[in-house]
Each structure stands twice: as C-alpha cells, then as structure tokens.
Amino acid sequence: MATNIRDVAKAAGVSVATVSKVLNGYTTVNEQTKQKVLKYVKELQFRPNLAARSLVGRRSMTIGIFLTTGLAHPFFTRIVAGMEQALQTRGYDLIYLAQVSWSKEYSFVRHCQSRNVEGVVVFGFQHENTDFGELIESGIPAVFIDLDIREGRAGYITSDNREATERAVAYLADLNHRRVGYISGNKDSYVNVHRFEGFRAGLAQAGIPYREEYAAEGDFTREAGYAAMRRLLALPEPPTAVVCCSDMSAIGAIEAIREAGLSVPEDISVLGFDDIELAVYVKPALTTVRQDMMTIGRRSIELLDELITDETLASPEAIVPTELVVRESCGPAKADE
C-alpha cells in the first residue's frame, strides 16, 4: 500500500498540517522539524500529490462548494445566501463544484485543481459514504458544514444540534406530553445522530420513558416525514407529540395527521427543525428549532478565508446556537393522555 501523508506525520511525530507546510515550502516551520519531516518523506518513499501542491501559493480568489444534493432545499439556499454576505467583503468568487462522479475513482483534489480554487466548503455529505482522506491529506483548506472533520487544514461548523433537541423535548414535556415521537433525518448523518442523542437526553431529563417504536426513520424530506408519520399513526398507541428532524419532514407529518382525520395541535403536536421560510406559512404555523443558517454560511467563508491566509491556524470548530421558535403547531396534551 502506498505511503500517505498521515504515515509521514506519525513517523515524524508531527501533525498532517505540519507535513503539508513542509512539502509546500512554508517558512513558518522551524528547520529542525522540517529536516525531520523530509527525512521520513525520503525513508517512507512518500510521493506528494502534485496536483494539490500546484494550488498552493496561487491566489485565484476563488472558493468552491462541494454539495451532493443540489441547491433546491431551503436549508441550503439560506446557507449560500450567508456565504454571499461574507464573499462580498472578502473579494472571493464562489463556484459550485458539481457532482460528476462519486465513484472510487473520483478525486476531490483533481476537481479542486481543475477549477483552481483556493479552498472549499463541503456540505450535504455523510461520513459513511464518502472518503475525504485525499482532500485532507492534500493540505487544501476545507470547511465542512454539519460533518465533524477536524484534521490538517480542515475544520467544521454546525448548529448545537444536541442541545436544541433537548430543549424541544423539554418544551413538549412542559405541555404535559408523555408520548413523544421522533422522525429522523438520514439515520447515520452527523446532525441526526446528535439530534437523536438530544431527543433521548431530553426524554430522560423529563422522566419520560423512551419507546423504540416511537422513533421513525426519515431523510429530512416532506415525503419521508409523511411516510414516517403514517407509521406512527398506525401504532396501537400513537404519540401525542412528534419532534421532526427538519421542517420539511414536519410538513409531511402534518399532512399525514390531517389525512387521518386528526388535527394539529389538538390531537398531535408537531415540532420541526430549521425554521425555513415556509414554516411561517404552514397551517398551523410551525413551532420549530431555528438554525441560524445565514450565520453558518457566513462563518464557513470567514473560517475558510482564515485557513487560506494563515497556514499556522489550528483546525477550526464552530458551534452555532439555536433558538426555539414557538408558533401554533404545538399545544398541551389532552387531559386523559
């Protein structure tokens, strides 16, 4: 198996970022460390990625976005709007690095090199279906949204998903709900894992027993929310309140409840996550967790710019607070429930 940059870093006892700096000629690494890195580069016969190295030192003033799902979802459009705010003050152009192929032969680094970008923002991906090793090893600055990658010259930004969902469950508990369901996003996604942890923690803090049959799998979409709610309604004892992992799935859940001849929130309370623009116009208006999507977008560009301009910067980690927005889709549990 070919030697990679992590092997060199481990042998030399330094970070991947330090090896990257040595290979790319940065002057901020002291001579002793530099020589130690070069020694192991030679001993391990490491061959640096020339495509990645060619990006360093050139100021194209262009940032790329890697995104799997396209820009149609309201969550992503608000994030991009936040990015544009930061771009206006920092002089960068933004290009969308469209999906060509996510096969094993696909190279994030070659795609960056072909568009001459100085750094990338990555979102819409999940840990289990994508290998970002080559991108991280290349030393190309990268900021991941909702994916906790923090290594080399890569960092991430996300909402405080766990705390937000804990607070949502506490709100429903204050409305005397004891049968609380959960409609997930993509099961293994970073945000769903943390939101589900918050859901379980919120139940425990409120003294509400967790019921496995009340956890219905979805994928953040209206269609999946609708299907998941139908499964919950088919239970012998359906939940009286449901926390949804996105506003779109909450909208789907409301449709399913109405189709079953029930009312929101009189029969079942529905709580969303995101606070997309549509949440205000749904009937009843959606109670939801507001993610500060504009701030996430703006800060992702600011963090990336800092990584691009300061090669000594530590990998960033930014957690953005959320807010529970109370509207009309949640109400008190019926007295007999």
Side-chain angles (χ1 to χ4, degrees):
M1 183 177 295
T3 301
N4 61 43
I5 197 169
R6 290 177 182 154
D7 299 325
V8 175
K10 183 177 180 180
V14 299
S15 68
V16 169
T18 298
V19 176
S20 178
K21 291 172 194 173
V22 171
L23 296 175
N24 291 305
Y26 292 139
T27 59
T28 53
V29 181
N30 68 57
E31 188 61 26
Q32 182 178 0
T33 301
K34 176 182 175 182
Q35 292 305 319
K36 181 164 62 171
V37 168
L38 292 175
K39 171 177 177 286
Y40 285 105
V41 167
K42 183 176 181 180
E43 284 186 7
L44 297 173
Q45 298 182 328
F46 174 58
R47 298 290 182 268
N49 187 313
L50 296 178
R53 291 184 63 184
S54 73
L55 295 174
V56 180
R58 295 201 320 219
R59 297 309 311 269
S60 67
M61 297 306 294
T62 302
I63 287 171
I65 303 178
F66 282 116
L67 174 64
T68 57
T69 56
L71 297 171
H73 194 286
F75 175 78
F76 296 124
T77 56
R78 293 290 288 168
I79 285 192
V80 172
M83 290 179 177
E84 290 173 347
Q85 279 188 348
L87 291 166
Q88 290 172 2
T89 61
R90 293 177 181 249
Y92 288 101
D93 289 320
L94 187 68
I95 63 171
Y96 174 39
L97 300 171
Q99 177 175 338
V100 177
S101 166
W102 303 128
S103 66
K104 291 182 179 180
E105 292 73 32
Y106 176 80
S107 168
F108 285 100
V109 172
R110 284 199 300 272
H111 205 159
C112 289
Q113 193 271 341
S114 69
R115 296 295 182 267
N116 194 26
V117 297
E118 294 196 49
V120 289
V121 177
V122 183
F123 60 118
F125 290 82
Q126 298 176 40
H127 274 301
E128 75 278 4
N129 61 12
T130 310
D131 181 8
F132 292 106
E134 180 200 25
L135 179 61
I136 295 166
E137 291 168 8
S138 74
I140 298 170
V143 171
F144 292 82
I145 294 177
D146 288 340
L147 198 60
D148 58 336
I149 293 177
R150 198 176 177 209
E151 184 179 354
R153 301 189 72 199
Y156 75 98
I157 183 168
T158 189
S159 293
D160 195 341
N161 293 285
R162 191 180 193 278
E163 188 275 339
T165 320
E166 279 187 47
R167 189 159 14 106
V169 173
Y171 171 71
L172 294 173
D174 286 344
L175 292 173
N176 296 318
H177 289 283
R178 304 290 297 174
R179 306 202 313 258
V180 183
Y182 178 80
I183 295 178
S184 77
N186 299 92
K187 184 179 178 181
D188 297 319
S189 68
Y190 170 82
V191 296
N192 184 67
V193 168
H194 283 256
R195 289 173 195 174
F196 187 60
E197 287 176 357
F199 174 74
R200 295 288 302 267
L203 292 178
Q205 289 168 14
I208 300 172
Y210 169 70
R211 297 171 62 164
E212 187 174 353
E213 69 271 24
Y214 281 179
E217 188 171 344
D219 64 2
F220 300 109
T221 66
R222 181 186 63 80
E223 294 79 8
Y226 173 85
M229 191 69 234
R230 281 178 59 92
R231 293 194 296 273
L232 293 174
L233 290 169
L235 295 172
E237 189 179 45
T240 63
V242 179
V243 177
C244 301
C245 217
S246 75
D247 286 348
M248 293 304 293
S249 62
I251 291 168
I254 290 172
E255 291 178 9
I257 292 166
R258 282 181 177 155
E259 190 178 274
L262 301 172
S263 297
V264 176
E266 290 78 12
D267 295 305
I268 300 178
S269 292
V270 177
L271 194 151
F273 205 113
D274 286 336
D275 196 28
I276 61 175
E277 186 175 356
L278 190 59
V280 180
Y281 301 106
V282 176
K283 296 298 180 184
L286 190 62
T287 293
T288 186
V289 173
R290 175 180 292 161
Q291 293 199 80
D292 194 343
M293 293 169 272
M294 292 289 288
T295 293
I296 291 172
R298 176 176 52 79
R299 286 292 294 143
S300 68
I301 296 298
E302 292 171 351
L303 293 170
L304 185 58
D305 179 45
E306 291 165 6
L307 284 169
I308 290 169
T309 56
D310 183 0
E311 66 269 18
T312 67
L313 195 68
S315 302
E317 175 189 37
I319 309 297
V320 180
T322 63
E323 176 187 357
L324 181 64
V325 180
V326 176
R327 295 195 180 102
E328 301 167 356
S329 65
C330 293
K334 293 180 179 179
D336 59 343
E337 293 176 327

